[in-house]
């Protein structure tokens, strides 16, 4: 699997995330010389909470337990406990098992809905973050993929160079915000240098956590 | 969902059983070394206590993990008429940190065992798996290298077949029919119904061993 970087949109203080900004960002991608629209993409992230018999007893169970499904891995599901830096990849039947166990219940689900663009050795996705049962835009992400390489270390300088180009394109639009990459801490999750869907799941979880934190700070 | 029957056989007759199974199944046996870890939810977690099993296949170069949930058995008049147990069962392959994940989620070790033996996978009216194994307990937590047999001299035989709500009757029938071929060596029944070893086992085993399974039982 080839290396991906996921960045999240951080609005400047006082500004908001809206569909106008999403449209401007998409135009930036489309303005790349060889960019071709290449279909849609989706992932879903679900927050789980422990199903406690007695709510009054303090819970010692993880508060940051979440699950992710990715379109490119239809038969897999990923569980993450961010605080413990642990990720589990399982068959999607794990969801049936969790339902039968009834020890954890889904609390909130968010969809990542992306439009994919091919551009030579690179691929980009412009991703909007929307709640599962609503249309309101909660955040914007971009995903940059470098197709020739699977090694995260080897891809790093090339991705950084691409990011410079991307930032230059974005600067011409003077949008109220910028894209930031949250450090995914792959080594702490004990993941190898070879990129996998587990790396993708961790990046989306990290980006979302950052989006939530920024939104909370903005009040 | 799955159909299940179990039985026991003396270790001295396992070789004969293997010859018989080889003849019946027409496939090669596979070695089996599975570390089965049974976890239970901690206090206050879930409306009722829940159990989940983690199976680590130690026979492969890189151990692989499966999460298994065994649900309730089918009940009622229909179930009593069937000679095999029909129960819900869901499995999921998982990456190697699944045990740590469940511990962090609040599950505790209830018991663990090591199954060592062999299995046959074949199709005979249904996708059937016959497992013959000794059940071993660990003297120290998770120490599979220091396991000792729970019942020395006796091994467990399990016959299982996946099923669905639409096919369980047909699968149960296929499993029952197959089990009849094993009757001279062992009696298979629903788990929990103990039948002991079969009196004809010694003679049947001797017959199988003397002519390599050529004799029709």
């Amino acid at each position: 699997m080839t290396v991906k970087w996921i960045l999240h949109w951080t609005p400047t203080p006082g500004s908001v995330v809206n569909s106008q900004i999403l449209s401007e960002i998409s135009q930036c991608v489309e303005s790349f010389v060889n960019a071709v629209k290449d279909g849609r993409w989706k992932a879903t992230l679900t927050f789980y909470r422990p199903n406690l018999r007695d709510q009054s007893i303090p819970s010692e169970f993880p508060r940051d337990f979440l699950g992710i499904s990715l379109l490119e891995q239809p038969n897999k599901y990923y569980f993450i406990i961010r605080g413990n830096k642990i990720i589990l990849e399982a068959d999607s039947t794990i969801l049936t098992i969790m339902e039968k166990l009834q020890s954890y219940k889904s609390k909130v689900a968010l969809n990542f809905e992306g439009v994919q663009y091919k551009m030579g050795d690179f691929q980009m996705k412009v991703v909007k973050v929307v709640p599962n049962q609503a249309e309101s835009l909660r955040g914007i992400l971009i995903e940059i993929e470098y197709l020739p390489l699977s090694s995260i270390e080897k891809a790093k300088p090339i991705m950084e160079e691409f990011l410079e180009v991307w930032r230059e394109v974005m600067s011409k639009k003077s949008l109220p915000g910028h894209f930031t990459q949250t450090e995914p801490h792959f080594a702490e999750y004990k993941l190898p240098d070879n990129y996998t869907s587990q790396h993708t799941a961790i990046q989306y979880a990290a980006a979302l956590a950052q989006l939530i934190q920024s939104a909370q700070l903005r009040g | 969902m799955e159909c299940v029957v179990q039985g026991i056989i003396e270790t001295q007759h396992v070789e004969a059983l293997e010859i018989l199974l080889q003849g019946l199944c027409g496939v090669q046996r596979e070695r089996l070394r599975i570390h089965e870890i049974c976890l239970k939810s901690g206090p206050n977690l879930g409306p009722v206590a829940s159990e989940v099993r983690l199976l680590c296949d130690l026979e492969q170069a890189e151990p692989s993990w499966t999460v298994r949930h065994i649900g309730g058995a089918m009940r009622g008049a229909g179930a009593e008429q069937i000679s095999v147990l029909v129960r819900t069962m869901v499995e999921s392959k998982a990456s190697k940190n699944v045990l740590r994940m469940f511990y962090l989620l609040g599950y505790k070790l209830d018991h663990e065992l090591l199954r060592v033996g062999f299995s046959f996978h074949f199709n005979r009216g249904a996708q059937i798996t016959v497992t013959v194994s000794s059940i071993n307990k660990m003297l120290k937590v998770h120490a599979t290298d220091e396991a000792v047999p729970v019942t020395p001299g006796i091994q467990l035989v399990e016959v299982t077949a996946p099923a669905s709500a639409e096919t369980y009757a047909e699968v149960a029938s296929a499993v029952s029919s197959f089990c009849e071929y094993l009757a001279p060596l062992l009696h298979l029944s629903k788990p929990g119904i103990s039948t002991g070893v079969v009196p004809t086992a010694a003679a049947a085993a001797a017959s199988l061993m003397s002519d390599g399974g050529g004799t029709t039982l």
Side-chain angles (χ1 to χ4, degrees):
Chain A
M1 191 164 281
T2 49
V3 178
K4 296 178 187 177
W5 279 19
I6 289 132
L7 291 88
H8 63 275
W9 178 254
T10 305
T12 47
S15 63
V16 295
V17 164
N18 59 32
S19 51
Q20 177 61 32
I21 292 177
L22 179 71
S23 171
E24 301 272 7
I25 291 167
S26 301
Q27 284 173 30
C28 286
V29 178
E30 285 160 10
S31 71
F32 273 79
V33 169
N34 48 1
V36 172
K37 234 181 201 177
D38 185 45
R40 297 192 167 268
W41 174 86
K42 192 179 169 184
T44 301
L45 186 149
T46 306
F47 289 97
Y48 294 94
R49 67 168 172 205
N51 192 7
L52 302 175
R53 243 165 278 166
D54 184 348
Q55 300 281 344
S56 62
I57 299 175
S59 163
E60 76 253 36
F61 307 114
R63 293 172 165 277
D64 52 356
F65 175 45
L66 54 94
I68 299 182
S69 65
L70 300 170
L71 184 71
E72 61 266 36
Q73 297 284 2
N75 299 318
K76 296 282 181 192
Y77 199 75
Y78 301 86
F79 280 124
I80 297 172
I81 302 176
R82 293 195 71 243
N84 297 99
K85 297 286 184 287
I86 182 172
I87 179 166
L88 179 78
E89 179 178 281
D91 291 344
S92 45
T93 44
I94 194 77
L95 286 171
T96 309
I97 293 176
M98 294 305 283
E99 267 172 56
K100 287 185 180 291
L101 291 174
Q102 293 201 353
S103 46
Y104 285 81
K105 291 277 184 192
S106 65
K107 183 178 161 186
V108 166
L110 290 158
N111 289 330
F112 298 105
E113 295 173 4
V115 177
Q116 184 156 290
Y117 298 86
K118 272 185 158 33
M119 36 187 60
D121 281 346
F122 288 88
Q123 255 174 200
M124 278 187 83
K125 288 188 184 87
V126 178
V127 180
K128 59 181 183 180
V129 183
V130 292
N132 199 23
Q133 304 288 340
E135 290 291 321
S136 54
L137 182 65
R138 294 296 173 87
I140 300 169
L141 310 173
I142 51 159
E143 183 191 284
I144 304 167
E145 184 176 359
Y146 184 58
L147 299 173
L149 288 179
S150 305
S151 159
I152 295 165
E153 270 309 300
K154 289 194 180 127
K156 195 172 173 188
I158 299 163
M159 295 292 253
E160 278 171 349
E161 211 176 290
F162 182 91
L163 211 49
E164 281 304 311
V165 173
W166 167 249
R167 288 205 163 105
E168 214 177 292
V169 169
M170 285 284 298
S171 66
K172 290 174 186 155
K173 287 269 184 181
S174 301
L175 295 175
H178 59 278
F179 278 104
T180 323
Q181 189 191 21
T182 309
E183 174 56 54
H185 300 290
F186 292 138
E188 289 182 45
Y189 282 89
K190 300 192 175 43
L191 291 186
D193 180 60
N194 234 34
Y195 196 86
T196 66
S197 290
Q198 291 188 41
H199 294 80
T200 301
I202 285 168
Q203 286 197 77
Y204 276 99
L208 188 70
Q210 205 54 46
L211 278 173
I212 291 171
Q213 197 176 35
S214 311
Q216 282 169 347
L217 283 171
R218 289 200 310 273
Chain B
M1 214 175 229
E2 65 173 1
C3 293
V4 189
V5 284
Q6 278 178 359
I8 55 169
I9 189 167
E10 289 178 76
T11 302
Q12 60 178 320
H13 301 318
V14 165
E15 202 181 332
L17 175 60
E18 190 185 334
I19 291 171
L20 177 58
L21 287 169
Q22 179 74 59
L24 287 169
C25 307
V27 297
Q28 288 298 317
R29 73 164 202 179
E30 290 172 23
R31 282 157 53 125
L32 186 116
R33 191 176 173 83
I34 305 239
H35 181 190
E36 187 171 316
I37 302 170
C38 191
L39 303 177
K40 251 197 183 132
S41 55
N44 202 29
L45 187 61
V48 292
S50 58
E51 250 185 46
V52 67
R53 284 158 209 243
L54 304 187
L55 308 168
C56 183
D57 185 347
L58 298 171
E59 194 56 40
Q60 301 177 20
E62 183 69 34
S64 65
W65 289 85
T66 304
V67 183
R68 179 185 282 175
H69 181 269
I70 295 176
M74 205 173 86
R75 287 181 191 163
E80 280 167 35
Q81 282 170 20
I82 304 177
S83 57
V84 311
L85 187 81
V86 182
R87 65 188 181 191
T88 57
M89 194 279 291
V90 185
E91 275 187 347
S92 166
K93 292 244 176 284
S95 50
K96 64 184 177 191
N97 47 8
V98 61
L99 179 60
R100 184 171 161 238
M101 174 71 80
F102 271 97
Y103 278 151
L104 287 169
L105 291 176
Y107 279 79
K108 317 274 182 211
L109 178 66
D110 185 67
H111 66 271
E112 58 180 338
L113 44 90
L114 180 70
R115 294 177 190 266
V116 181
F118 57 85
S119 62
F120 287 85
H121 306 278
F122 56 96
N123 194 300
R124 202 180 174 103
Q127 201 58 37
I128 297 175
T129 297
V130 181
T131 303
V132 182
S133 59
S134 67
I135 308 297
N136 304 271
K137 61 185 175 191
M138 268 128 280
L139 301 175
K140 283 184 214 161
V141 173
H142 300 334
T144 54
D145 292 339
E146 297 174 37
V148 295
V150 173
T151 49
I154 296 282
Q155 298 207 15
L156 178 71
V157 181
E158 257 192 343
V159 181
T160 59
S164 67
E166 292 79 32
T167 64
Y168 75 84
E170 189 185 308
V171 172
S173 174
V175 169
S176 286
S177 300
F178 178 76
C179 290
E180 285 172 24
Y181 290 102
L182 307 182
L185 273 177
L186 78 156
H187 183 67
L188 292 151
S189 58
K190 292 178 183 176
I193 298 173
S194 171
T195 55
V197 295
V198 162
T200 55
S207 173
L208 281 158
M209 297 303 292
S210 67
D211 64 7
T215 305
T216 309
L217 292 175

